[in-house]
């Protein structure tokens, strides 16, 4: 079946942000006495909404995070993004090469999505078709967000193609009945990441955005 819509995750697919976010949270959590590292947070929570990461940490830790934790983490991350955030190399040209509709479906909150996409010059490529996990009951790896995006775009799930960098995101696409390509070109993707995406259900894995348009075209979407 041909593809009528390409759905992009944001962090780790459009922008190289996962390593930055993990660094901020590792430092903030460590200061509170919760022992972790950026690498551990990347391994466990890439693609998972912050609210769900917080719930897991609080359960394991046996105590609640400070009421202002999210606000302080977002402020620290915004400052880091303003200085260091970059789009994934080649993503603009990749978007130029895709002729069918595109949208974003991300675990990030709407305000963060607006900020990071504007900082990297990508916002107008997708607006207004930018969807957040805050709009659904369950985040990735549940299929809710991808199904919501497909419904809003008026496309049957089986005719959507998802571009994801996380195991949780790939699992969400598979659960939604959507074919998915795994991207491993972001700075947080270490050895073996592509194999993990394949095991989760990615139909193909690539590490260079110059390969995306041809991969999409092979599936009848351009």
């Amino acid at each position: 079946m041909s593809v009528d819509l390409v759905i992009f995750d944001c962090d780790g697919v459009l922008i190289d942000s996962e390593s930055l976010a993990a660094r901020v949270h590792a430092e903030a959590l460590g200061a509170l006495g919760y022992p972790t590292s950026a690498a551990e947070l990347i391994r466990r929570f890439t693609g998972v909404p912050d609210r769900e990461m917080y719930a897991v940490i609080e359960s394991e830790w046996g105590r609640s995070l400070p009421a202002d934790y999210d606000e302080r983490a977002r402020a620290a991350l915004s400052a880091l993004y303003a200085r260091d955030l970059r789009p994934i190399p080649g993503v603009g040209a990749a978007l130029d090469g895709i002729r069918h509709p595109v949208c974003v479906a991300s675990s990030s909150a709407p305000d963060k999505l607006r900020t990071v996409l504007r900082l990297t010059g990508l916002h107008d490529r997708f607006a207004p078709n930018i969807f957040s996990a805050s709009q659904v009951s369950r985040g990735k790896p549940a299929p809710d967000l991808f199904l919501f995006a497909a419904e809003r775009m008026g496309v049957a799930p089986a005719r959507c193609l998802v571009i994801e960098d996380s195991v949780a995101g790939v699992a969400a696409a598979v659960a939604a009945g959507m074919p998915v390509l795994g991207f491993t070109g972001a700075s947080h993707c270490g050895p073996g990441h592509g194999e993990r995406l394949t095991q989760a259900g990615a139909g193909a894995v690539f590490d260079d955005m110059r390969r995306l348009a041809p991969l999409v075209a092979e599936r009848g979407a351009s």
Side-chain angles (χ1 to χ4, degrees):
M1 184 177 289
S2 64
V3 173
D4 293 333
L5 172 68
V6 182
I7 303 177
F8 286 83
D9 179 39
C10 182
D11 296 283
V13 173
L14 298 174
I15 60 174
D16 200 359
S17 56
E18 293 287 9
S19 295
L20 301 179
R23 188 196 317 170
V24 165
H25 283 296
E27 291 176 358
L29 291 168
L32 292 172
Y34 180 84
T36 190
S37 66
E40 178 71 2
L41 293 175
I42 287 170
R43 184 185 68 81
R44 297 186 63 193
F45 298 114
T46 295
V48 175
D50 284 348
R51 68 176 186 265
E52 296 181 23
M53 178 180 75
Y54 298 159
V56 171
I57 289 171
E58 289 176 333
S59 176
E60 292 177 349
W61 199 18
R63 56 186 288 191
S64 297
L65 291 168
D68 64 345
Y69 176 85
D70 187 63
E71 180 181 354
R72 290 189 290 109
R74 287 193 187 199
L77 194 51
S78 293
L80 188 58
Y81 282 163
R83 187 177 74 242
D84 294 341
L85 185 63
R86 300 290 183 272
I88 293 292
V91 72
L95 290 168
D96 288 341
I98 296 171
R99 303 304 178 192
H100 277 54
V102 297
C103 70
V104 173
S106 169
S107 294
S108 294
D111 58 341
K112 177 190 169 186
L113 281 171
R114 285 190 297 271
T115 297
V116 298
L117 291 173
R118 284 170 176 161
L119 281 172
T120 52
L122 296 172
H123 183 269
D124 290 348
R125 294 271 195 160
F126 294 96
N129 301 316
I130 300 170
F131 308 111
S132 164
S134 65
Q135 296 174 279
V136 296
S137 297
R138 301 178 299 169
K140 305 170 188 177
D144 303 32
L145 177 57
F146 288 137
L147 293 173
F148 176 78
E151 180 182 14
R152 291 289 295 269
M153 296 294 291
V155 178
R159 299 182 72 90
C160 300
L161 177 65
V162 175
I163 315 300
E164 264 288 354
D165 70 301
S166 72
V167 170
V170 170
V174 171
M178 300 178 181
V180 54
L181 302 178
F183 178 65
T184 62
S187 61
H188 71 281
C189 299
H193 190 66
E195 182 178 351
R196 289 188 287 273
L197 297 183
T198 299
Q199 291 173 347
V205 173
F206 68 106
D207 63 0
D208 188 332
M209 275 295 166
R210 290 176 294 184
R211 294 186 56 204
L212 179 56
L215 283 169
V216 172
E218 288 173 7
R219 287 152 178 81
S222 63

